[in-house]
Amino acid sequence: MHQYLPAIGFSKINREKLEQLLDEVILRPDYQEAAIDFEGNQFVELRYMVADNIGLVLRGLYDENDDFILDYYYPTYFGSTESTKGTLDVIKQSDKDNYQVMCDEVKLGVNLIYQLQNMGEYLRSGKKDSKIESKVSQLSALSIEGKVLLPIYDNEKSRTKAKMNYDRRIELVEQAREGDEEAMENLTMDEIELYQKISRRITREDILSVVTSYFMPYGIENDKYEILGEIMDVKEVVNHLTMEEMYLMIIECNDVPLELCINKNNLYGMPAPGRRFKGIIWLQGTVDFS
């Protein structure tokens, strides 16, 4: 069974009931689309929603008897918040008919890789070139392990100063990428100064009061991340099949917003705007190919 099924409210489902659910989705999907990939192969996607924008995705093909042959399935949450905009690389996985997207996000400092949710739209767009210029990504994530942390005390003056320093750093990074040697030197000096400040503070403060936000790869799978970010919005939803409750949150991490779905039983603490979320996520997203 898929590791992230508990995130969308299937924490107690067994294999027999899961197979029955998959058969039901094949017979009566909420959404169905088909496309032809760049090698001329058929692609079919079926969706079954258990709450608003939350559900199961089945991918496969129909045989000559019009029977659906399941290739793989996965749980998903479709976000609607614009997260990033820039040049993307769409990469086909070698082990199955699936695509991932890589985005070089300056704000995060890492190559952002996520599962492409609207694969059918990508195939129908006819964009055979893997590199796609200036496209908007809407990021979402599933989590089966997280906790809520209290916010860090600050004031308007400190927030304004931090925002100015952050914007300056992003500008220097962009200049350094274009070969500006002075920008490279300034970034090096900033890193040295930051290291010295952290070294002084860490002797008398907890690490999570020094580090306010981070976004870093987790494990060997390239679309899994460990994040720490501020909770901007929270709402509760219910899986209409299992009646398990889930939290939907908008998390801002290093100035990049993303939407997160987590089972209420897998979150330690009570989420609220202003508090912080720390946990491991599986990153997904849609791209506007229009």
Side-chain angles (χ1 to χ4, degrees):
M1 292 191 291
H2 200 284
Q3 178 185 3
Y4 280 82
L5 279 175
I8 65 168
F10 291 106
S11 62
K12 300 176 182 179
I13 194 169
N14 57 35
R15 186 167 297 279
E16 181 182 355
K17 290 184 178 180
L18 175 62
E19 291 178 355
Q20 292 175 359
L21 176 59
L22 295 178
D23 290 339
E24 181 69 19
V25 175
I26 292 172
L27 290 175
R28 283 177 285 274
D30 292 328
Y31 173 86
Q32 176 177 334
E33 70 172 348
I36 302 298
D37 67 17
F38 303 125
E39 286 79 36
N41 302 313
Q42 182 191 51
F43 163 79
V44 177
E45 178 175 291
L46 310 178
R47 298 177 190 171
Y48 181 77
M49 312 311 288
V50 298
D52 290 343
N53 299 323
I54 301 170
L56 288 170
V57 172
L58 282 64
R59 288 177 175 172
L61 52 84
Y62 285 104
D63 62 14
E64 61 274 6
N65 298 319
D66 206 27
D67 293 326
F68 184 77
I69 308 300
L70 177 64
D71 184 12
Y72 63 95
Y73 74 94
Y74 68 92
T76 192
Y77 168 42
F78 292 92
S80 58
T81 301
E82 181 178 320
S83 302
T84 64
K85 183 177 182 179
T87 301
L88 309 174
D89 280 318
V90 182
I91 305 164
K92 189 178 187 302
Q93 290 185 263
S94 58
D95 58 335
K96 57 185 175 182
D97 194 13
N98 185 43
Y99 288 83
Q100 292 182 327
V101 178
M102 182 171 69
C103 175
D104 187 9
E105 179 52 67
V106 177
K107 297 177 183 178
L108 296 176
V110 298
N111 285 328
L112 196 64
I113 300 176
Y114 58 88
Q115 164 97 8
L116 180 62
Q117 293 171 307
N118 55 333
M119 178 175 157
E121 184 180 346
Y122 169 65
L123 294 177
R124 289 193 300 273
S125 71
K127 300 180 185 295
K128 292 186 179 181
D129 188 0
S130 65
K131 189 174 290 293
I132 302 174
E133 300 290 339
S134 299
K135 290 296 180 181
V136 174
S137 298
Q138 296 170 324
L139 299 180
S140 59
L142 299 179
S143 178
I144 53 174
E145 178 183 348
K147 63 180 66 174
V148 177
L149 305 179
L150 292 175
I152 293 177
Y153 174 78
D154 59 5
N155 53 42
E156 188 63 33
K157 183 178 179 180
S158 63
R159 286 196 294 268
T160 301
K161 183 179 179 181
K163 184 68 167 62
M164 291 176 61
N165 291 337
Y166 180 77
D167 291 342
R168 175 180 174 273
R169 181 183 179 279
I170 295 300
E171 185 178 350
L172 286 175
V173 170
E174 291 176 346
Q175 292 173 357
R177 289 186 172 189
E178 295 174 358
D180 190 325
E181 294 185 1
E182 184 178 352
M184 296 179 191
E185 293 176 1
N186 289 334
L187 279 173
T188 302
M189 296 303 297
D190 287 348
E191 293 293 333
I192 294 174
E193 183 180 352
L194 180 62
Y195 175 77
Q196 292 173 343
K197 287 182 179 178
I198 292 175
S199 299
R200 288 194 299 268
R201 292 184 59 185
I202 204 67
T203 59
R204 61 182 189 275
E205 297 181 53
D206 181 82
I207 183 65
L208 293 178
S209 66
V210 178
V211 179
T212 59
S213 177
Y214 62 74
F215 195 108
M216 59 186 185
Y218 178 83
I220 61 174
E221 297 177 84
N222 51 21
D223 52 4
K224 305 291 194 307
Y225 297 90
E226 184 173 352
I227 68 167
L228 171 64
E230 182 180 355
I231 300 173
M232 309 303 293
D233 188 33
V234 183
K235 70 176 181 178
E236 297 182 33
V237 296
V238 177
N239 181 319
H240 67 74
L241 289 180
T242 65
M243 302 310 293
E244 293 186 31
E245 296 177 310
M246 298 162 286
Y247 286 121
L248 302 184
M249 296 182 280
I250 298 178
I251 311 292
E252 186 173 270
C253 186
N254 288 22
D255 209 31
V256 174
L258 60 91
E259 298 187 42
L260 173 74
C261 176
I262 185 171
N263 194 305
K264 197 172 184 178
N265 295 325
N266 296 139
L267 182 65
Y268 183 76
M270 182 64 67
R275 296 177 181 178
R276 294 181 294 167
F277 171 85
K278 178 180 181 293
I280 299 164
I281 65 169
W282 176 34
L283 195 61
Q284 305 177 359
T286 60
V287 178
D288 181 9
F289 291 109
S290 59

